[in-house]
Amino acid sequence: MQIHVVKSKIHRVKVTGADLNYIGSITIDEDLMEAANIIEGEKVQIVNNNNGERLETYVIPGPRNSGEITLNGAAARKVAKGDILIIISYGIMELEEAKNFKPSLVFPDEETNLLN
């Protein structure tokens, strides 16, 4: 049996922008992506702590050490600048592998979104 488990999580980052006129996706500071083991184009779940919205989209890299967290396209309607998000990606693996798997969890500075 295969199950879905948390692979990566960026916990409590602040939205820095919302661009309704962009094609779609979430732009994430590339340093945060690397620390969380998230790659360009990967599907992620976005949880908005401010309004309870949950949505799925894909990741595009933003400038390193910028702290950028921008929701693009239709997803921009689900956030406001300054909202606090949790960004999660999941992996599918065999049950026995999942029992020993350790996800990449990142807890950036909540004011700057930068790694401590």
Side-chain angles (χ1 to χ4, degrees), residues 17-75:
D19 185 355
L20 185 60
N21 295 314
Y22 192 81
I23 297 169
S25 69
I26 182 170
T27 304
I28 301 175
D29 177 327
E30 200 164 3
D31 285 342
L32 294 175
M33 288 175 59
E34 283 183 4
N37 195 28
I38 294 173
I39 64 168
E40 183 173 359
E42 186 169 350
K43 178 180 173 180
V44 291
Q45 180 181 43
I46 310 298
V47 180
N48 187 328
N49 284 3
N50 291 77
N51 63 19
E53 290 282 356
R54 289 178 173 256
L55 62 106
E56 292 179 341
T57 190
Y58 63 93
V59 175
I60 60 173
R64 286 186 180 281
N65 203 36
S66 66
E68 182 176 357
I69 302 291
T70 300
L71 275 292
N72 303 303

Side-chain angles (χ1 to χ4, degrees), residues 62-100:
R64 286 186 180 281
N65 203 36
S66 66
E68 182 176 357
I69 302 291
T70 300
L71 275 292
N72 303 303
R77 294 198 183 276
K78 304 288 188 178
V79 302
K81 189 174 179 181
D83 282 358
I84 300 297
L85 307 180
I86 299 170
I87 303 168
I88 309 163
S89 72
Y90 300 90
I92 302 171
M93 59 189 71
E94 294 295 330
L95 180 60
E96 289 306 312
E97 179 185 5
K99 288 179 182 179
N100 296 312

